[in-house]
Structures are given as C-alpha cells and as structure tokens.
Amino acid sequence: MGIGDKFQVDEIISKFKVGDDDFDYKPFGSGHINDTFLVFDNQHGEADEATQRKYLLQRINHEVFRDVDGLMRNMNLVTTRLQSELGKSEEMDFTTVRIIPAHDDKLYYLDSWGNYWRMQTFIPNSTTYDRVTSEKQAFEAGYAFGKFQLLLENIDVNSLKETIPDFHNMEYRFKNFEAALQKDAVSRKASVEKEILFALARQEEMENLYEQVKNVKVPIRITHNDTKFNNVLLDKHTHKAICVIDLDTVMPGVIWYDFGDSIRTIVNTADEDEVDLAKIEVDINFFEAFTQGYLQETALLLTELEVNQLAFSSRYMTFIMGLRFLTDYLSGDVYYKTKHEHQNLQRARAQFKLVSQMERKSNEMEEIVLKTYHHFTDHSVSSE
Ligand code: GN1
Ligand code: MG
C-alpha cells in the first residue's frame, strides 16, 4: 500500500482552488516530517513542463506542528512579503512558492479525520539535491539563504509565531536527551555508550552558544531554521538557485541556525545517514563557496558577535541534529520517519562524525568566514 492510499487524496485535491482539471498525484520528496504529494493534471504529459499544471500537496504533521493555523499564517506572511519584495527588483531569477487556498479561502483544509492539508504552487523547471557536488551549487545555496534573509529583514519578528517552541534550544534538547536516557524506553541505551559520551563531552561548549541567544546578546531575526541543501530549488537548466522551500519553521531565530544548518549538509561528502563513517568528510571548498554566497547577501546586516560565531554554528547545528536523532533512537523512533530499524542511530553517528571533522577544520573555517566577511564589508566602504 502506497502512502497515498491511506488518504483520499483525490478528494482532498478537489477542496483547493486548483481548477477542475483531472488531477493525478504521487508521493514526492524526502522530508522526515510531513507527507508530500506532487499533484499534476492528466491532460498534459509529465514531460510537458511548460504546460502541465503542477502543485504540491502536503499533509502537515500536527503532532510536530501543534499550531497549524499559526504556521500557515506565518507562511502566508512570508510568501506575500517575498512576492512583494521580489516584485520591486529586476532579479527575476528568484521566486517564491505561493499558497493555493481552499475553496472557503482558508489557507489549509482540515479533513474529517483531523488531518491538516495545504496546497502550494510547484516551481517549474526546478530540482533539488540531497548532496552538493560542485562549488557552484554550494555558492548558489549560500546565495539563496542569504537572499531569503535579506528579503525578510524588515518583517517585525513579533508578527511571526514560534511554530515549534525551543526548536534549536540546546538546553531543551539536552533535557529531552537526558529524559530519554533515564527512561531507556526500548532498551537501546547500552548499545550507544560511545555516542552518549560524545554528546556529554560537548554539552558545555554547545550550551554556551545558546546562552548568548538566551541572554539576547545576538539579534533575533526571521530565520528559516531548516536550511538543508535540498530546501533550495535550483533551475534545471541554468543551475542557479531560484527559490527557498519548506517554510514550516520560518520563525524568530538567530543567524547561526540558518548558516550552521546549511553547512551541515553543504560540506558533508556523504549522506545524512551514511553508514560508512570513513566517507564523511568536510569539503572546505564547499564551505568557502557557500560562505561567499551567503555573506555576499548578508555581510552588511551582521553584528560582530554573529560573524565571530558563524563557523562554530556549523558544529552547533550538526551536533544538535545528531543529539535529536540519538534521542529519537533512544525513545524508539517516535519523531522522525525511518525506513529501517537503525536509521536514527546511523543518522546520529553520521552527524557526530561530521562534528568531529568540523572540529579538525575549525581554524580553517574561521579564517574563511573572516576573510570573506572582510571582502564584502571592506569593499562596500571603499566603493562609497
Ligand atoms: C526534519 O522534514 P524535514 O526533513 O524537512 C526536521 C529538521 C531536521 C531534518 C533533518 C520539523 O526536516 O529539523 O534538520 O529533519 N524538521 C523538524 O534532516 O523537526
Ligand atoms: Mg522541514
């Protein structure tokens, strides 16, 4: 049975303002939380990119996102702002998804089983990749998330709800981890001693960074908070970044979350759940290319403290993902979708290995950040 068979997807599609073509659908993407379907009209062949009508339909995981109404209002605010900002500039390369409302004009549809559904536009001629294979891709990803940051700069941070409270709060993540250890719900603790020690050995330095967020030493901005490489759409032909997707966690946050979580996937020479840890390395050229794209857009916004911890934020975000995967493994895989029994453990191990590799390259990463930052800021002063 396919994932779509569980739901009456045809009927759900008809609840949205997509016109009355005959639509078909299929599962789409590799998200760990929501269920995603590509919806396409049957009149035009799939090869016919120019004329085929396509949308993305998603069932929002409301166990994870407790306030779907708030989430969709956030998304509406952000996509509307992006549209109006992009409308002002000549930069036609960059775009945003739009929400397709339901027939009653609501931003989502609640079915009779209590599932929340939303429909959005599908950006034609676009593609995503889980892994970076060229410096150009890394640069484009940096450009995309930097541009996203810049375009949302003037939204009042208080106008957006926190869709998942404490999402990147290290203290909170450690509390959950400790609770999972205590409970050891599925008796896996004994088998992950090494990973537990790895996490505890880094608790202090990780919580120290979060202290700066807690004590509001660093500006609270609108951030994306899930900036993996596969959340950037690249144009199939020009290979340029054209859109940032997966806006569920766009909410108040700090710059470190976005920079760091991007680097986690950008520099990794292997998959997020790679079993062969020897394959996991940091590609420093991809780090540099991403940083160039990102700082080209954002350097003038950033405070000294933000810049000084950018390189470390890569470790922070990679570590927090490892800790969350490990916590979920200890809890019996209750949060992330998994394809097999040990996938969360593989993910945790792979993320921790990547943290170790970043530790080895930390000086290099710091130098690159500073050099790139000065390149963009010094230049702007001397050209005035
Ligand atoms: C989840 O669903 P997806 O794959 O976009 C998670 C992120 C993690 C990511 C790890 C709401 O995102 O925080 O970085 O998996 N999203 C949520 O790949 O927990
Ligand atoms: Mg996501």
Side-chain angles (χ1 to χ4, degrees):
M1 190 170 97
I3 175 80
D5 305 337
K6 281 200 294 189
F7 310 107
Q8 297 185 310
V9 179
D10 287 319
E11 201 196 315
I12 308 286
I13 296 170
S14 73
K15 303 294 180 188
F16 290 91
K17 291 185 172 174
V18 287
D20 37 41
D21 288 310
D22 177 19
F23 286 104
D24 209 343
Y25 65 91
K26 61 180 182 192
F28 187 81
S30 56
H32 298 350
I33 307 289
N34 296 326
D35 297 322
T36 306
F37 301 95
L38 177 67
V39 173
F40 49 96
D41 81 83
N42 261 328
Q43 287 89 309
H44 303 95
E46 256 213 84
D48 197 355
E49 287 263 342
T51 46
Q52 194 179 40
R53 290 154 61 104
K54 283 185 180 173
Y55 302 95
L56 278 189
L57 174 69
Q58 287 186 300
R59 187 176 72 105
I60 304 167
N61 182 333
H62 65 273
E63 299 281 320
V64 168
F65 297 104
R66 311 302 289 218
D67 176 9
V68 175
D69 199 74
L71 180 157
M72 290 308 294
R73 280 169 202 269
N74 279 4
M75 185 172 167
N76 196 34
L77 208 143
V78 167
T79 52
T80 316
R81 173 60 67 103
L82 288 173
Q83 251 179 288
S84 72
E85 289 296 314
L86 289 165
K88 289 182 200 161
S89 80
E90 299 289 293
E91 241 163 325
M92 296 311 283
D93 285 0
F94 210 68
T95 187
T96 173
V97 298
R98 281 181 299 108
I99 299 171
I100 309 286
H103 288 297
D104 59 4
D105 283 324
K106 275 189 113 171
L107 301 171
Y108 57 91
Y109 170 70
L110 179 60
D111 73 19
S112 44
W113 290 275
N115 296 304
Y116 290 83
W117 298 86
R118 68 154 167 243
M119 189 77 85
Q120 54 186 297
T121 52
F122 181 87
I123 311 291
N125 296 311
S126 67
T127 185
T128 61
Y129 304 97
D130 290 341
R131 255 163 63 188
V132 171
T133 49
S134 70
E135 282 168 37
K136 173 161 168 66
Q137 285 181 346
F139 177 89
E140 287 297 320
Y143 165 81
F145 287 121
K147 180 64 114 193
F148 183 83
Q149 186 63 58
L150 191 65
L151 292 172
L152 298 181
E153 196 48 24
N154 295 324
I155 296 190
D156 173 9
V157 288
N158 297 313
S159 58
L160 264 73
K161 288 238 171 107
E162 229 183 323
T163 54
I164 303 183
D166 295 313
F167 196 42
H168 297 316
N169 173 345
M170 194 63 83
E171 290 170 10
Y172 170 77
R173 294 302 178 187
F174 262 105
K175 280 199 189 100
N176 289 350
F177 172 63
E178 279 148 18
L181 279 178
Q182 277 269 309
K183 209 166 167 198
D184 196 15
V186 283
S187 307
R188 285 173 167 173
K189 185 174 153 185
S191 65
V192 293
E193 277 302 312
K194 239 175 82 183
E195 288 70 26
I196 295 170
L197 290 177
F198 184 96
L200 294 177
R202 286 156 183 80
Q203 180 165 8
E204 199 182 326
E205 62 167 346
M206 293 298 166
E207 289 187 348
N208 278 346
L209 186 80
Y210 188 72
E211 274 295 303
Q212 325 234 34
V213 180
K214 209 166 85 176
N215 299 334
V216 207
K217 295 259 191 298
V218 58
I220 302 300
R221 305 177 182 278
I222 299 299
T223 48
H224 180 285
N225 297 302
D226 189 9
T227 50
K228 344 193 225 195
F229 182 49
N230 63 15
N231 279 335
V232 177
L233 297 186
L234 298 173
D235 185 293
K236 269 185 189 164
H237 307 296
T238 66
H239 310 292
K240 280 183 166 267
I242 49 175
C243 188
V244 163
I245 56 167
D246 191 0
L247 306 177
D248 294 330
T249 49
V250 179
M251 59 180 159
V254 301
I255 210 90
W256 298 327
Y257 300 159
D258 279 7
F259 184 87
D261 194 35
S262 280
I263 296 301
R264 178 178 77 86
T265 54
I266 297 291
V267 304
N268 190 352
T269 54
D271 288 333
E272 186 181 61
D273 63 349
E274 177 61 58
V275 189
D276 182 358
L277 298 184
K279 287 191 183 153
I280 301 174
E281 280 176 49
V282 169
D283 188 313
I284 202 75
N285 296 326
F286 294 170
F287 180 81
E288 182 157 17
F290 179 91
T291 304
Q292 282 166 354
Y294 193 80
L295 290 181
Q296 171 189 297
E297 300 303 307
T298 58
L300 296 176
L301 305 175
L302 303 184
T303 65
E304 202 182 323
L305 176 62
E306 286 180 306
V307 177
N308 286 343
Q309 298 294 333
L310 271 189
F312 181 73
S313 75
S314 317
R315 261 147 79 193
Y316 183 94
M317 292 304 295
T318 309
F319 178 86
I320 209 169
M321 293 309 159
L323 188 66
R324 289 173 61 198
F325 289 137
L326 185 59
T327 303
D328 200 33
Y329 185 70
L330 287 162
S331 313
D333 310 315
V334 290
Y335 184 87
Y336 295 107
K337 288 183 188 174
T338 49
K339 293 205 178 89
H340 54 84
E341 203 191 337
H342 297 300
Q343 194 174 13
N344 270 323
L345 177 59
Q346 282 175 20
R347 288 170 176 153
R349 285 188 172 144
Q351 298 299 292
F352 284 171
K353 175 67 194 274
L354 188 58
V355 170
S356 307
Q357 300 291 49
M358 288 175 174
E359 286 169 352
R360 297 172 57 183
K361 295 214 167 145
S362 65
N363 288 343
E364 245 179 299
M365 289 164 80
E366 267 162 38
E367 278 162 25
I368 289 169
V369 166
L370 288 182
K371 185 181 77 184
T372 313
Y373 174 72
H374 288 301
H375 170 78
F376 289 115
T377 47
D378 297 349
H379 173 76
S380 88
V381 172
S382 60
S383 67
E384 269 169 17

